[in-house]
Amino acid sequence: MTNEPTRTYDVIVIGGGPVGENVAERAGAAGLSTVLIERDLLGGECSFWACDPSKALLRPAVARADASRIPGLDPAVAGPLDVEAVLAHRDKMSSYWKDEDQVDWLDSVSVDLIRGHGRLTGPKQVAVQTAEGDTIALTARHAVAVSTGTRAALPPIPGIDTVRPWTSREATSADKVPGRLAVVGGGVVAVEMATAWQALGSQVTMLVLEDRLLERMEPFAGELVADGLREAGVDIRFNTVVASLARDDDKVRIMLSDGKRLSADEILLATGRAPQTRDIGLETAGLTPGDWLTVDDTFRVTGVDGGWLYAVGDVNRRALMTHQGKYQARIAGAVIGARAKNQPVDDTPWGKHVATADHAAVPQVVFTTPEIASVGLTTREAEQSGRRIEVVDYDLARVAGAHQYVEDYRGHARMLIDTDRNTVVGVTFAGPGVGELVHSATIAIAGEIPIGRLWHAVPAFPTLGEIWLRFLETHRG
């Protein structure tokens, strides 16, 4: 243990993914001395094992599927993907799992970096254990922000410890294509990785506990994704429970609860996420290690005396997506800065009740074939909230721009209108290219734009954006 004196900063940030980076940058921009602690690669899951590498794997699969339905182009894309080129591009997009560029950026915004494992040791106190075995003691004048994110939550399947299963990390960084890949789960990671690896040459079998894919989205979204996966050759088995696992002769042996067996070269467990809070000293703040951190709308952790502890990003479970975490981070950094200067938090650019977008207008894109894009409430969520809603459905294939996109376009769109307020509260699109539609829907919901005003937002012809006119015409009847 080093004997150096305790280092003091205005703000300490534990966790150097994109959320922690943004908290640190915003606190620094407010004039506060800030240090960021990261035990792995600066840039976190999104940069190295999630957003960037997964989309690099998915883009060729989705582009080929779309191109195969464009007259005059379809014969040119009939062959298999160049696996070596796809994986090389994935490696490049992941910066070859090196974080020098991220470090340079952090230096440019005058935030210090300490590499190691950070743990709370008391109010505004943090100890960092470095890889060299040294311990660095830190004190915060104003705030400590926890931005440690999540890890894969593995189910308690007998034999799981013997099979070396893939999680999302291995699925996005693997350097060879497994001949047979079993995917356990039916959520976003499961369908995206099934899409990518089937396109790269694996024979993918999906083992889904529920009776449909993407259970938290509108039912038609999961149905269209299931159709696309089956057309690509994926074997989807619904209402399926994995009873036990074993690895034998370098193969994974999978026993199902109905007595059936199957084998795979690799198995991906895409069965949810858990907070990275087991070993960060939460007990010293009166909290339970391993728990999600509950926060108020300024991202202060509730139940901690003194209001010095903040939790930002996935670790607070408000919206487990990178773009939402970065939104929270920008707000949290500004709020911490305002409070350090004894200014009211409504002096920030985001107003007093700052965290609203991670409740009412959370956009998401699932990069499958077809794409799924959604924001706001689903029909089930809207009904459970007690709202009176009108459901407006439209076949995206009837939009003129769809036929400019691909031949034989298949898709669907749904808009939910709060009939008491006459505003949009939820939109879901399913079809090729719909990811670029979601921000217009996000603006409509976040801005609470009255339906009467949306009539004056004229979409260009012929584009997929014309769905907004078709929504309104269908609503008017």
Side-chain angles (χ1 to χ4, degrees), residues 13 15-24 147 312-314 321-322 325-326 328-329:
V13 180
V19 175
E21 289 176 324
N22 275 266
V23 174
S147 301
V312 192
D314 286 4
M321 282 168 277
T322 297
K326 292 167 72 173
Q328 294 179 8

Side-chain angles (χ1 to χ4, degrees), residues 16 20 26 32 59 61 151 267 296 299 328 342 357 361 392 420 437:
R26 284 291 86 200
L32 304 181
R59 180 57 185 156
R151 57 180 173 82
I267 183 168
D296 63 19
F299 303 106
Q328 294 179 8
N342 295 314
V392 182
D420 291 323
L437 290 174

Side-chain angles (χ1 to χ4, degrees), residues 53-271:
S54 69
K55 302 314 168 279
L57 292 174
L58 284 159
R59 180 57 185 156
V62 173
R64 182 179 66 172
D66 289 347
S68 68
R69 293 162 61 190
I70 297 176
L73 184 59
D74 49 332
V77 296
L81 296 176
D82 184 335
V83 173
E84 183 177 349
V86 173
L87 296 184
H89 179 64
R90 183 274 315 273
D91 294 351
K92 179 181 178 182
M93 293 301 295
S94 303
S95 300
Y96 306 100
W97 291 276
K98 297 179 180 179
D99 62 1
E100 287 91 344
D101 288 346
Q102 302 278 6
V103 174
D104 289 343
W105 173 82
L106 201 66
D107 287 341
S108 75
V109 296
S110 301
V111 172
D112 288 351
L113 171 66
I114 299 177
R115 292 190 183 271
H117 183 70
R119 294 181 183 86
L120 300 170
T121 56
K124 300 183 184 178
Q125 306 293 314
V126 175
V128 183
Q129 189 75 30
T130 70
E132 295 74 26
D134 294 329
T135 300
I136 301 172
L138 304 173
T139 295
R141 294 187 185 91
H142 301 294
V144 177
V146 174
S147 301
T148 49
T150 60
R151 57 180 173 82
L154 300 182
I157 302 172
I160 190 172
D161 294 336
T162 69
V163 299
R164 303 184 302 278
W166 279 10
T167 67
S168 54
R169 279 198 168 202
E170 290 78 17
T172 55
S173 62
D175 59 4
K176 63 180 180 179
V177 178
R180 293 172 298 175
L181 174 64
V183 177
V184 181
V188 174
V189 172
V191 297
E192 288 191 344
M193 290 298 95
T195 298
W197 288 106
Q198 182 73 28
L200 288 167
S202 285
Q203 175 53 59
V204 175
T205 300
M206 296 189 71
L207 307 174
V208 185
L209 179 63
E210 297 82 10
D211 59 2
R212 64 183 176 91
L213 300 179
L214 301 174
E215 190 182 35
R216 295 182 180 180
M217 306 185 87
E218 297 283 9
F220 66 80
E223 291 166 5
L224 285 167
V225 170
D227 290 344
L229 287 167
R230 289 193 179 105
E231 288 178 12
V234 174
D235 177 10
I236 306 175
R237 305 186 188 187
F238 291 112
N239 302 305
T240 299
V241 177
V242 177
S244 64
L245 298 170
R247 190 175 280 275
D248 177 36
D249 297 329
D250 208 33
K251 302 295 181 186
V252 180
R253 310 299 179 185
I254 306 167
M255 172 70 79
L256 304 180
S257 61
D258 60 5
K260 294 180 181 178
R261 301 171 181 264
L262 65 147
S263 297
D265 297 286
E266 301 290 351
I267 183 168
L268 165 61
L269 299 178
T271 50

Side-chain angles (χ1 to χ4, degrees), residues 265-321:
D265 297 286
E266 301 290 351
I267 183 168
L268 165 61
L269 299 178
T271 50
R273 307 291 294 179
Q276 290 270 33
T277 61
R278 290 183 298 184
D279 189 23
I280 61 170
L282 290 185
E283 65 278 5
T284 67
L287 303 170
T288 302
D291 278 0
W292 300 95
L293 297 179
T294 303
V295 297
D296 63 19
D297 282 350
T298 64
F299 303 106
R300 270 179 168 165
V301 178
T302 58
V304 176
D305 292 341
W308 56 272
L309 185 62
Y310 291 72
V312 192
D314 286 4
V315 75
N316 64 35
R317 209 181 191 178
R318 289 168 70 112
L320 274 66
M321 282 168 277

